[in-house]
mmCIF file of all heavy atoms in Angstrom:
data_model
loop_
_atom_site.group_PDB
_atom_site.id
_atom_site.type_symbol
_atom_site.label_atom_id
_atom_site.label_comp_id
_atom_site.label_asym_id
_atom_site.label_seq_id
_atom_site.Cartn_x
_atom_site.Cartn_y
_atom_site.Cartn_z
ATOM 1 N N ASP A 215 -12.031 -10.033 16.732
ATOM 2 C CA ASP A 215 -13.229 -10.376 15.978
ATOM 3 C C ASP A 215 -13.679 -9.193 15.132
ATOM 4 O O ASP A 215 -13.724 -8.048 15.598
ATOM 5 C CB ASP A 215 -14.345 -10.803 16.924
ATOM 6 C CG ASP A 215 -14.054 -12.135 17.602
ATOM 7 O OD1 ASP A 215 -13.204 -12.882 17.085
ATOM 8 O OD2 ASP A 215 -14.666 -12.420 18.653
ATOM 9 N N GLY A 216 -14.012 -9.461 13.885
ATOM 10 C CA GLY A 216 -14.450 -8.417 12.967
ATOM 11 C C GLY A 216 -13.343 -7.833 12.125
ATOM 12 O O GLY A 216 -13.619 -7.136 11.140
ATOM 13 N N SER A 217 -12.098 -8.102 12.477
ATOM 14 C CA SER A 217 -10.973 -7.594 11.687
ATOM 15 C C SER A 217 -10.697 -8.521 10.517
ATOM 16 O O SER A 217 -11.022 -9.708 10.552
ATOM 17 C CB SER A 217 -9.713 -7.471 12.548
ATOM 18 O OG SER A 217 -9.270 -8.765 12.959
ATOM 19 N N ALA A 218 -10.106 -7.993 9.462
ATOM 20 C CA ALA A 218 -9.741 -8.816 8.297
ATOM 21 C C ALA A 218 -8.758 -8.051 7.434
ATOM 22 O O ALA A 218 -8.847 -6.834 7.285
ATOM 23 C CB ALA A 218 -10.970 -9.187 7.473
ATOM 24 N N TYR A 219 -7.809 -8.776 6.891
ATOM 25 C CA TYR A 219 -6.908 -8.234 5.882
ATOM 26 C C TYR A 219 -6.558 -9.379 4.949
ATOM 27 O O TYR A 219 -6.874 -10.542 5.216
ATOM 28 C CB TYR A 219 -5.640 -7.634 6.512
ATOM 29 C CG TYR A 219 -4.655 -8.659 7.032
ATOM 30 C CD1 TYR A 219 -3.590 -9.117 6.236
ATOM 31 C CD2 TYR A 219 -4.774 -9.186 8.315
ATOM 32 C CE1 TYR A 219 -2.693 -10.060 6.705
ATOM 33 C CE2 TYR A 219 -3.872 -10.124 8.793
ATOM 34 C CZ TYR A 219 -2.829 -10.568 7.988
ATOM 35 O OH TYR A 219 -1.940 -11.501 8.446
ATOM 36 N N MET A 220 -5.911 -9.061 3.839
ATOM 37 C CA MET A 220 -5.571 -10.087 2.867
ATOM 38 C C MET A 220 -4.094 -10.026 2.514
ATOM 39 O O MET A 220 -3.535 -8.949 2.329
ATOM 40 C CB MET A 220 -6.410 -9.936 1.593
ATOM 41 C CG MET A 220 -6.236 -11.077 0.600
ATOM 42 S SD MET A 220 -7.395 -11.015 -0.806
ATOM 43 C CE MET A 220 -8.939 -11.456 0.012
ATOM 44 N N HIS A 221 -3.472 -11.191 2.485
ATOM 45 C CA HIS A 221 -2.155 -11.336 1.862
ATOM 46 C C HIS A 221 -2.442 -11.754 0.423
ATOM 47 O O HIS A 221 -2.667 -12.928 0.129
ATOM 48 C CB HIS A 221 -1.312 -12.378 2.587
ATOM 49 C CG HIS A 221 -0.028 -12.704 1.888
ATOM 50 N ND1 HIS A 221 0.740 -13.799 2.198
ATOM 51 C CD2 HIS A 221 0.641 -12.065 0.877
ATOM 52 C CE1 HIS A 221 1.797 -13.840 1.414
ATOM 53 N NE2 HIS A 221 1.751 -12.800 0.607
ATOM 54 N N ALA A 222 -2.474 -10.773 -0.450
ATOM 55 C CA ALA A 222 -2.805 -11.012 -1.857
ATOM 56 C C ALA A 222 -1.534 -11.221 -2.665
ATOM 57 O O ALA A 222 -0.485 -10.658 -2.342
ATOM 58 C CB ALA A 222 -3.600 -9.834 -2.416
ATOM 59 N N PHE A 223 -1.630 -12.017 -3.707
ATOM 60 C CA PHE A 223 -0.502 -12.190 -4.607
ATOM 61 C C PHE A 223 -0.341 -10.926 -5.453
ATOM 62 O O PHE A 223 -1.281 -10.161 -5.652
ATOM 63 C CB PHE A 223 -0.721 -13.391 -5.521
ATOM 64 C CG PHE A 223 -0.985 -14.682 -4.787
ATOM 65 C CD1 PHE A 223 -2.003 -15.533 -5.199
ATOM 66 C CD2 PHE A 223 -0.221 -15.041 -3.687
ATOM 67 C CE1 PHE A 223 -2.257 -16.723 -4.533
ATOM 68 C CE2 PHE A 223 -0.469 -16.235 -3.004
ATOM 69 C CZ PHE A 223 -1.486 -17.069 -3.434
ATOM 70 N N GLY A 224 0.850 -10.752 -5.964
ATOM 71 C CA GLY A 224 1.075 -9.650 -6.889
ATOM 72 C C GLY A 224 1.437 -8.355 -6.189
ATOM 73 O O GLY A 224 1.519 -8.277 -4.961
ATOM 74 N N PRO A 225 1.655 -7.304 -6.976
ATOM 75 C CA PRO A 225 2.116 -6.035 -6.415
ATOM 76 C C PRO A 225 1.042 -5.326 -5.605
ATOM 77 O O PRO A 225 -0.160 -5.518 -5.827
ATOM 78 C CB PRO A 225 2.498 -5.224 -7.661
ATOM 79 C CG PRO A 225 1.642 -5.788 -8.753
ATOM 80 C CD PRO A 225 1.514 -7.251 -8.444
ATOM 81 N N VAL A 226 1.493 -4.524 -4.674
ATOM 82 C CA VAL A 226 0.638 -3.584 -3.956
ATOM 83 C C VAL A 226 1.214 -2.206 -4.251
ATOM 84 O O VAL A 226 2.297 -1.855 -3.776
ATOM 85 C CB VAL A 226 0.618 -3.859 -2.448
ATOM 86 C CG1 VAL A 226 -0.201 -2.788 -1.718
ATOM 87 C CG2 VAL A 226 0.048 -5.247 -2.161
ATOM 88 N N GLY A 227 0.517 -1.430 -5.058
ATOM 89 C CA GLY A 227 1.035 -0.134 -5.468
ATOM 90 C C GLY A 227 2.191 -0.262 -6.445
ATOM 91 O O GLY A 227 2.604 -1.359 -6.831
ATOM 92 N N ARG A 228 2.713 0.906 -6.862
ATOM 93 C CA ARG A 228 3.836 0.949 -7.797
ATOM 94 C C ARG A 228 5.035 1.604 -7.140
ATOM 95 O O ARG A 228 4.904 2.554 -6.365
ATOM 96 C CB ARG A 228 3.465 1.757 -9.051
ATOM 97 C CG ARG A 228 2.512 1.075 -9.981
ATOM 98 C CD ARG A 228 2.444 1.811 -11.328
ATOM 99 N NE ARG A 228 1.811 3.131 -11.214
ATOM 100 C CZ ARG A 228 2.462 4.282 -11.307
ATOM 101 N NH1 ARG A 228 3.789 4.308 -11.458
ATOM 102 N NH2 ARG A 228 1.804 5.440 -11.250
ATOM 103 N N ALA A 229 6.191 1.070 -7.463
ATOM 104 C CA ALA A 229 7.420 1.721 -7.013
ATOM 105 C C ALA A 229 7.582 3.043 -7.746
ATOM 106 O O ALA A 229 7.002 3.269 -8.823
ATOM 107 C CB ALA A 229 8.616 0.811 -7.286
ATOM 108 N N HIS A 230 8.384 3.931 -7.173
ATOM 109 C CA HIS A 230 8.691 5.206 -7.837
ATOM 110 C C HIS A 230 10.153 5.529 -7.572
ATOM 111 O O HIS A 230 10.577 5.605 -6.419
ATOM 112 C CB HIS A 230 7.798 6.329 -7.316
ATOM 113 C CG HIS A 230 8.056 7.657 -7.983
ATOM 114 N ND1 HIS A 230 7.612 7.935 -9.275
ATOM 115 C CD2 HIS A 230 8.725 8.761 -7.560
ATOM 116 C CE1 HIS A 230 7.987 9.162 -9.597
ATOM 117 N NE2 HIS A 230 8.666 9.679 -8.583
ATOM 118 N N GLY A 231 10.905 5.700 -8.639
ATOM 119 C CA GLY A 231 12.333 5.953 -8.466
ATOM 120 C C GLY A 231 12.981 4.765 -7.764
ATOM 121 O O GLY A 231 12.697 3.608 -8.082
ATOM 122 N N PRO A 232 13.820 5.015 -6.773
ATOM 123 C CA PRO A 232 14.529 3.919 -6.109
ATOM 124 C C PRO A 232 13.727 3.267 -4.998
ATOM 125 O O PRO A 232 14.201 2.300 -4.394
ATOM 126 C CB PRO A 232 15.766 4.615 -5.532
ATOM 127 C CG PRO A 232 15.291 6.004 -5.221
ATOM 128 C CD PRO A 232 14.298 6.341 -6.320
ATOM 129 N N LEU A 233 12.523 3.782 -4.709
ATOM 130 C CA LEU A 233 11.804 3.332 -3.525
ATOM 131 C C LEU A 233 10.606 2.455 -3.874
ATOM 132 O O LEU A 233 9.861 2.755 -4.815
ATOM 133 C CB LEU A 233 11.293 4.526 -2.715
ATOM 134 C CG LEU A 233 12.329 5.488 -2.137
ATOM 135 C CD1 LEU A 233 11.630 6.554 -1.304
ATOM 136 C CD2 LEU A 233 13.368 4.747 -1.304
ATOM 137 N N PRO A 234 10.373 1.400 -3.091
ATOM 138 C CA PRO A 234 9.134 0.645 -3.238
ATOM 139 C C PRO A 234 7.955 1.470 -2.744
ATOM 140 O O PRO A 234 8.108 2.466 -2.020
ATOM 141 C CB PRO A 234 9.365 -0.593 -2.367
ATOM 142 C CG PRO A 234 10.393 -0.188 -1.364
ATOM 143 C CD PRO A 234 11.263 0.815 -2.063
ATOM 144 N N PHE A 235 6.776 1.033 -3.100
ATOM 145 C CA PHE A 235 5.548 1.790 -2.860
ATOM 146 C C PHE A 235 5.323 2.149 -1.402
ATOM 147 O O PHE A 235 4.793 3.228 -1.088
ATOM 148 C CB PHE A 235 4.359 0.977 -3.391
ATOM 149 C CG PHE A 235 3.023 1.558 -3.062
ATOM 150 C CD1 PHE A 235 2.528 2.646 -3.758
ATOM 151 C CD2 PHE A 235 2.240 1.005 -2.042
ATOM 152 C CE1 PHE A 235 1.278 3.189 -3.465
ATOM 153 C CE2 PHE A 235 0.998 1.540 -1.743
ATOM 154 C CZ PHE A 235 0.518 2.631 -2.456
ATOM 155 N N GLN A 236 5.710 1.250 -0.479
ATOM 156 C CA GLN A 236 5.287 1.466 0.904
ATOM 157 C C GLN A 236 5.799 2.773 1.496
ATOM 158 O O GLN A 236 5.160 3.357 2.375
ATOM 159 C CB GLN A 236 5.704 0.298 1.810
ATOM 160 C CG GLN A 236 7.173 0.247 2.198
ATOM 161 C CD GLN A 236 7.899 -0.849 1.460
ATOM 162 O OE1 GLN A 236 7.436 -1.299 0.408
ATOM 163 N NE2 GLN A 236 9.020 -1.296 1.996
ATOM 164 N N HIS A 237 6.929 3.282 0.994
ATOM 165 C CA HIS A 237 7.446 4.528 1.565
ATOM 166 C C HIS A 237 6.542 5.710 1.213
ATOM 167 O O HIS A 237 6.317 6.611 2.045
ATOM 168 C CB HIS A 237 8.872 4.776 1.081
ATOM 169 C CG HIS A 237 9.852 3.804 1.647
ATOM 170 N ND1 HIS A 237 10.313 3.881 2.936
ATOM 171 C CD2 HIS A 237 10.443 2.702 1.104
ATOM 172 C CE1 HIS A 237 11.160 2.888 3.167
ATOM 173 N NE2 HIS A 237 11.252 2.152 2.064
ATOM 174 N N TYR A 238 5.994 5.736 0.006
ATOM 175 C CA TYR A 238 5.057 6.795 -0.376
ATOM 176 C C TYR A 238 3.723 6.615 0.347
ATOM 177 O O TYR A 238 3.088 7.591 0.756
ATOM 178 C CB TYR A 238 4.874 6.797 -1.892
ATOM 179 C CG TYR A 238 6.155 7.146 -2.604
ATOM 180 C CD1 TYR A 238 7.001 6.151 -3.096
ATOM 181 C CD2 TYR A 238 6.553 8.475 -2.737
ATOM 182 C CE1 TYR A 238 8.195 6.467 -3.714
ATOM 183 C CE2 TYR A 238 7.749 8.811 -3.364
ATOM 184 C CZ TYR A 238 8.562 7.799 -3.845
ATOM 185 O OH TYR A 238 9.765 8.124 -4.444
ATOM 186 N N TRP A 239 3.318 5.374 0.517
ATOM 187 C CA TRP A 239 2.091 5.098 1.254
ATOM 188 C C TRP A 239 2.232 5.496 2.721
ATOM 189 O O TRP A 239 1.308 6.094 3.307
ATOM 190 C CB TRP A 239 1.741 3.619 1.117
ATOM 191 C CG TRP A 239 0.512 3.215 1.876
ATOM 192 C CD1 TRP A 239 -0.778 3.509 1.556
ATOM 193 C CD2 TRP A 239 0.468 2.434 3.075
ATOM 194 N NE1 TRP A 239 -1.636 2.959 2.482
ATOM 195 C CE2 TRP A 239 -0.902 2.295 3.421
ATOM 196 C CE3 TRP A 239 1.435 1.833 3.872
ATOM 197 C CZ2 TRP A 239 -1.312 1.571 4.547
ATOM 198 C CZ3 TRP A 239 1.036 1.121 4.994
ATOM 199 C CH2 TRP A 239 -0.330 0.996 5.328
ATOM 200 N N LEU A 240 3.372 5.192 3.324
ATOM 201 C CA LEU A 240 3.608 5.568 4.717
ATOM 202 C C LEU A 240 3.618 7.083 4.882
ATOM 203 O O LEU A 240 3.065 7.629 5.848
ATOM 204 C CB LEU A 240 4.927 4.974 5.207
ATOM 205 C CG LEU A 240 4.937 3.459 5.443
ATOM 206 C CD1 LEU A 240 6.365 2.954 5.624
ATOM 207 C CD2 LEU A 240 4.077 3.089 6.656
ATOM 208 N N ARG A 241 4.242 7.781 3.946
ATOM 209 C CA ARG A 241 4.241 9.244 4.021
ATOM 210 C C ARG A 241 2.816 9.774 3.941
ATOM 211 O O ARG A 241 2.396 10.632 4.734
ATOM 212 C CB ARG A 241 5.084 9.838 2.893
ATOM 213 C CG ARG A 241 5.019 11.375 2.881
ATOM 214 C CD ARG A 241 5.478 11.972 1.574
ATOM 215 N NE ARG A 241 4.913 13.315 1.407
ATOM 216 C CZ ARG A 241 5.105 14.073 0.340
ATOM 217 N NH1 ARG A 241 5.821 13.607 -0.680
ATOM 218 N NH2 ARG A 241 4.547 15.268 0.269
ATOM 219 N N ALA A 242 2.055 9.270 2.966
ATOM 220 C CA ALA A 242 0.675 9.733 2.807
ATOM 221 C C ALA A 242 -0.157 9.405 4.043
ATOM 222 O O ALA A 242 -1.026 10.194 4.449
ATOM 223 C CB ALA A 242 0.056 9.115 1.560
ATOM 224 N N ALA A 243 0.090 8.247 4.648
ATOM 225 C CA ALA A 243 -0.636 7.881 5.861
ATOM 226 C C ALA A 243 -0.316 8.858 6.994
ATOM 227 O O ALA A 243 -1.212 9.250 7.752
ATOM 228 C CB ALA A 243 -0.290 6.451 6.259
ATOM 229 N N ASP A 244 0.946 9.220 7.109
ATOM 230 C CA ASP A 244 1.328 10.196 8.134
ATOM 231 C C ASP A 244 0.602 11.530 7.923
ATOM 232 O O ASP A 244 0.274 12.233 8.889
ATOM 233 C CB ASP A 244 2.848 10.438 8.101
ATOM 234 C CG ASP A 244 3.631 9.260 8.650
ATOM 235 O OD1 ASP A 244 3.021 8.419 9.346
ATOM 236 O OD2 ASP A 244 4.844 9.176 8.375
ATOM 237 N N GLU A 245 0.356 11.859 6.663
ATOM 238 C CA GLU A 245 -0.291 13.135 6.334
ATOM 239 C C GLU A 245 -1.809 13.010 6.260
ATOM 240 O O GLU A 245 -2.508 13.988 5.962
ATOM 241 C CB GLU A 245 0.256 13.654 5.001
ATOM 242 C CG GLU A 245 1.750 13.964 5.040
ATOM 243 C CD GLU A 245 2.339 14.292 3.676
ATOM 244 O OE1 GLU A 245 1.601 14.173 2.661
ATOM 245 O OE2 GLU A 245 3.527 14.644 3.611
ATOM 246 N N GLY A 246 -2.319 11.805 6.516
ATOM 247 C CA GLY A 246 -3.758 11.590 6.511
ATOM 248 C C GLY A 246 -4.378 11.489 5.139
ATOM 249 O O GLY A 246 -5.598 11.642 4.995
ATOM 250 N N ASP A 247 -3.570 11.195 4.116
ATOM 251 C CA ASP A 247 -4.070 11.209 2.738
ATOM 252 C C ASP A 247 -4.051 9.844 2.057
ATOM 253 O O ASP A 247 -4.335 9.758 0.862
ATOM 254 C CB ASP A 247 -3.238 12.192 1.894
ATOM 255 C CG ASP A 247 -3.388 13.623 2.364
ATOM 256 O OD1 ASP A 247 -4.472 13.969 2.863
ATOM 257 O OD2 ASP A 247 -2.414 14.392 2.240
ATOM 258 N N ALA A 248 -3.701 8.787 2.775
ATOM 259 C CA ALA A 248 -3.577 7.469 2.142
ATOM 260 C C ALA A 248 -4.843 6.652 2.313
ATOM 261 O O ALA A 248 -5.521 6.724 3.345
ATOM 262 C CB ALA A 248 -2.395 6.710 2.745
ATOM 263 N N GLY A 249 -5.158 5.857 1.295
ATOM 264 C CA GLY A 249 -6.200 4.854 1.455
ATOM 265 C C GLY A 249 -5.627 3.650 2.184
ATOM 266 O O GLY A 249 -4.440 3.608 2.535
ATOM 267 N N SER A 250 -6.457 2.649 2.421
ATOM 268 C CA SER A 250 -5.950 1.422 3.012
ATOM 269 C C SER A 250 -5.010 0.744 2.026
ATOM 270 O O SER A 250 -5.110 0.946 0.809
ATOM 271 C CB SER A 250 -7.097 0.479 3.368
ATOM 272 O OG SER A 250 -7.723 0.001 2.187
ATOM 273 N N LEU A 251 -4.103 -0.048 2.532
ATOM 274 C CA LEU A 251 -3.162 -0.751 1.662
ATOM 275 C C LEU A 251 -3.898 -1.591 0.625
ATOM 276 O O LEU A 251 -3.460 -1.706 -0.528
ATOM 277 C CB LEU A 251 -2.251 -1.625 2.525
ATOM 278 C CG LEU A 251 -0.944 -2.112 1.896
ATOM 279 C CD1 LEU A 251 -0.036 -0.936 1.534
ATOM 280 C CD2 LEU A 251 -0.233 -3.062 2.850
ATOM 281 N N ALA A 252 -5.023 -2.143 1.022
ATOM 282 C CA ALA A 252 -5.796 -3.004 0.121
ATOM 283 C C ALA A 252 -6.264 -2.282 -1.135
ATOM 284 O O ALA A 252 -6.443 -2.902 -2.182
ATOM 285 C CB ALA A 252 -7.000 -3.571 0.858
ATOM 286 N N GLU A 253 -6.454 -0.976 -1.054
ATOM 287 C CA GLU A 253 -6.961 -0.223 -2.201
ATOM 288 C C GLU A 253 -5.969 -0.183 -3.357
ATOM 289 O O GLU A 253 -6.353 0.154 -4.484
ATOM 290 C CB GLU A 253 -7.317 1.202 -1.771
ATOM 291 C CG GLU A 253 -8.486 1.283 -0.803
ATOM 292 C CD GLU A 253 -8.770 2.708 -0.374
ATOM 293 O OE1 GLU A 253 -8.918 3.570 -1.267
ATOM 294 O OE2 GLU A 253 -8.830 2.975 0.839
ATOM 295 N N TYR A 254 -4.721 -0.524 -3.097
ATOM 296 C CA TYR A 254 -3.684 -0.454 -4.127
ATOM 297 C C TYR A 254 -3.287 -1.842 -4.630
ATOM 298 O O TYR A 254 -2.278 -1.985 -5.317
ATOM 299 C CB TYR A 254 -2.467 0.289 -3.574
ATOM 300 C CG TYR A 254 -2.838 1.655 -3.025
ATOM 301 C CD1 TYR A 254 -3.045 1.839 -1.666
ATOM 302 C CD2 TYR A 254 -3.018 2.741 -3.879
ATOM 303 C CE1 TYR A 254 -3.412 3.087 -1.158
ATOM 304 C CE2 TYR A 254 -3.380 3.989 -3.380
ATOM 305 C CZ TYR A 254 -3.578 4.150 -2.016
ATOM 306 O OH TYR A 254 -3.951 5.377 -1.525
ATOM 307 N N SER A 255 -4.069 -2.851 -4.281
ATOM 308 C CA SER A 255 -3.809 -4.227 -4.715
ATOM 309 C C SER A 255 -4.904 -4.682 -5.668
ATOM 310 O O SER A 255 -6.060 -4.844 -5.263
ATOM 311 C CB SER A 255 -3.755 -5.170 -3.505
ATOM 312 O OG SER A 255 -3.841 -6.522 -3.913
ATOM 313 N N LEU A 256 -4.564 -4.886 -6.939
ATOM 314 C CA LEU A 256 -5.541 -5.384 -7.898
ATOM 315 C C LEU A 256 -6.053 -6.754 -7.482
ATOM 316 O O LEU A 256 -7.257 -7.036 -7.562
ATOM 317 C CB LEU A 256 -4.914 -5.464 -9.299
ATOM 318 C CG LEU A 256 -5.775 -6.113 -10.386
ATOM 319 C CD1 LEU A 256 -7.074 -5.339 -10.598
ATOM 320 C CD2 LEU A 256 -4.996 -6.236 -11.693
ATOM 321 N N ASN A 257 -5.152 -7.631 -7.032
ATOM 322 C CA ASN A 257 -5.578 -8.974 -6.644
ATOM 323 C C ASN A 257 -6.588 -8.945 -5.506
ATOM 324 O O ASN A 257 -7.588 -9.670 -5.524
ATOM 325 C CB ASN A 257 -4.364 -9.818 -6.250
ATOM 326 C CG ASN A 257 -3.801 -10.601 -7.415
ATOM 327 O OD1 ASN A 257 -3.681 -10.079 -8.519
ATOM 328 N ND2 ASN A 257 -3.438 -11.848 -7.181
ATOM 329 N N GLU A 258 -6.328 -8.109 -4.504
ATOM 330 C CA GLU A 258 -7.274 -8.071 -3.384
ATOM 331 C C GLU A 258 -8.609 -7.492 -3.810
ATOM 332 O O GLU A 258 -9.667 -8.010 -3.433
ATOM 333 C CB GLU A 258 -6.723 -7.278 -2.208
ATOM 334 C CG GLU A 258 -7.731 -7.187 -1.073
ATOM 335 C CD GLU A 258 -7.158 -6.831 0.278
ATOM 336 O OE1 GLU A 258 -5.920 -6.687 0.386
ATOM 337 O OE2 GLU A 258 -7.945 -6.701 1.235
#
């Protein structure tokens, strides 16, 4: 109760080089520097 997330249409973040966005987001999360995934989704 109280939790919420969105499966939004469209991209979440931008790819860079050969990698999709989630790898850079995961690295930043490990380092404590990432926002929530939702912050990188225009649709959400």
Side-chain angles (χ1 to χ4, degrees):
D215 291 341
S217 66
Y219 73 94
M220 187 172 289
H221 172 194
F223 304 135
V226 176
R228 287 192 292 108
H230 181 76
L233 298 183
F235 173 77
Q236 76 254 21
H237 291 284
Y238 295 96
W239 178 73
L240 288 167
R241 176 197 157 182
D244 288 343
E245 297 172 354
D247 296 329
S250 68
L251 198 62
E253 294 178 52
Y254 306 98
S255 165
L256 174 61
N257 268 43
E258 177 161 357

